Amino acid sequence: MLAHQNFSFESCLSDQLQRALALCAVHLPDAAVRVRAFLAHFADPAPTAGFKAIPPAARALHDAVVAERGEQAGACLLLAAVLMGVRDSLASELMARLPPRVRGHQLRQFARIANHDEAFLPFCRLYSDVFLKEFGLATLRLYAGASSVIDPRSGIGRSMLWTGGLAQLPGRVLLFARAGGFKPYFEIHVNRLYQDEFDEEGRNECYRCCVDLYALHPQALGMIAGSWFYDPVVEIISPHLAYLRSVPVAGGARALFVSHDEQAVKNATATSEKRRALHAAGQYRPASWSLVWPRRAQIAWARRHASA
């Protein structure tokens, strides 16, 4: 069944992988061997090793390539690793075990990633957010969920208990006690290379994917996320983004203040003249917020908002 579904992009993937290995071989005669070795280090991630976690052995292999042959060789290695990762994931037991909804989204992302060629090389830096998300998808360390990618091995620091001040401490303690602790959680992230479904329905579909994935990851305590757009003020300034906070909160999630920081300012003002102007005038102070949606509440929401 999976082989039939993969047919439409399998040929493209094979061609792009061979091309990437040829590019890599210009710098590394043993390119295929090194790419396979790099991937092997990611084969058995620790239960709380999120998508940004790079095994020391993989980092050492990459750094050795860069030291021997330069940055371009390292980039070619990573491009080939992404494409070979997709090929290996298609035939993996984990791919076959994915819930049908998630598998469909994963296959669409694989088809998109299968088109990566030399144009993707500028993103191929070991600690690049773009690379790590594409590599995470390729190797099933991240799951595709319409609007977002889903990291099944994340967690939240205990410092979250204190970021709202003493007045909010009891409520936050109760929240995490009822949820079952601080890890592991599914954590959702925006992938800047794919935002075609970043809208309300795409977001709701992501939540449904999380719920379906609880069967595969029964230890997960719920879903978390972090962004400036969970700030209640955003619903007033940018009402078209209100669903990002209001839908989960109406379904039993909690939005928690984290901090005022430069990253929140950068992200909140990046695409909106209105938010930039309000910030420049001192009328809007972007802040980082976290969303915590306990498993039981998210499952109940999905039952009330079922979709084919």
Side-chain angles (χ1 to χ4, degrees):
M1 180 179 176
L2 280 178
H4 175 72
Q5 290 175 303
N6 299 338
F7 180 78
S8 61
F9 66 87
E10 199 172 51
S11 177
C12 174
L13 174 63
S14 178
D15 290 346
Q16 294 292 61
L17 175 56
Q18 292 308 310
R19 188 174 179 179
L21 288 172
L23 282 172
C24 203
V26 171
H27 308 279
L28 299 165
D30 58 345
V33 172
R34 296 219 203 186
V35 173
R36 290 191 191 98
F38 181 82
L39 284 170
H41 295 310
F42 292 88
D44 188 23
T48 55
F51 79 98
K52 292 184 178 180
I54 300 171
R59 182 171 61 248
L61 188 157
H62 168 268
D63 291 350
V65 168
V66 172
E68 291 172 27
R69 303 292 181 172
E71 292 286 347
Q72 190 68 4
C76 290
L77 174 85
L78 297 182
L79 170 61
V82 168
L83 295 168
M84 191 178 289
V86 170
R87 186 195 66 182
D88 293 351
S89 291
L90 282 167
S92 70
E93 179 187 355
L94 178 55
M95 185 69 185
R97 292 171 58 208
L98 288 182
R101 183 192 303 275
V102 178
R103 188 185 306 129
H105 290 294
Q106 201 78 34
L107 286 169
R108 283 190 284 278
Q109 293 303 311
F110 283 173
R112 179 184 61 79
I113 293 171
N115 288 291
H116 281 339
D117 55 18
E118 295 95 325
F120 185 65
L121 285 174
F123 296 111
C124 291
R125 299 293 180 267
L126 194 57
Y127 295 99
S128 158
D129 183 72
V130 169
F131 167 74
L132 289 171
K133 285 173 180 172
E134 294 291 88
F135 182 70
L137 282 168
T139 56
L140 293 175
R141 296 170 79 226
L142 289 176
Y143 300 127
S147 71
S148 309
V149 295
I150 303 166
D151 186 345
R153 299 178 183 85
S154 194
I156 199 159
R158 285 175 169 78
S159 61
M160 183 63 67
L161 295 175
W162 303 96
T163 60
L166 287 175
Q168 292 190 25
L169 179 60
R172 294 189 180 198
V173 169
L174 185 60
L175 168 66
F176 288 105
R178 287 177 173 173
F182 297 91
K183 61 183 178 181
Y185 284 86
F186 296 146
E187 184 169 9
I188 64 172
H189 304 272
V190 175
N191 184 357
R192 61 178 277 199
L193 290 192
Y194 180 79
Q195 297 192 27
D196 293 6
E197 296 179 82
F198 194 85
D199 54 25
E200 185 167 359
E201 181 46 41
R203 199 71 166 185
N204 290 346
E205 178 68 1
C206 179
Y207 306 149
R208 296 184 191 106
C209 287
C210 288
V211 168
D212 287 359
L213 283 164
Y214 286 130
L216 189 62
H217 294 275
Q219 73 279 11
L221 302 175
M223 187 206 87
I224 59 175
S227 180
W228 58 273
F229 48 64
Y230 299 122
D231 184 348
V233 173
V234 173
E235 298 182 17
I236 300 170
I237 297 172
S238 301
H240 64 289
L241 299 177
Y243 71 89
L244 292 164
R245 177 182 179 276
S246 64
V247 171
V249 168
R254 284 276 304 279
L256 307 175
F257 172 79
V258 178
S259 66
H260 292 287
D261 54 65
E262 287 303 312
Q263 191 61 47
V265 173
K266 179 180 178 181
N267 292 341
T269 59
T271 59
S272 169
E273 291 185 11
K274 180 180 181 181
R275 291 193 295 271
R276 279 196 296 273
L278 288 171
H279 176 253
Q283 297 176 342
Y284 167 46
R285 189 183 182 192
S288 292
W289 284 66
S290 282
L291 191 73
V292 181
W293 202 346
R295 172 180 174 148
R296 184 179 300 176
Q298 192 175 39
I299 291 173
W301 173 90
R303 287 174 178 163
R304 296 193 302 271
H305 298 83
S307 176

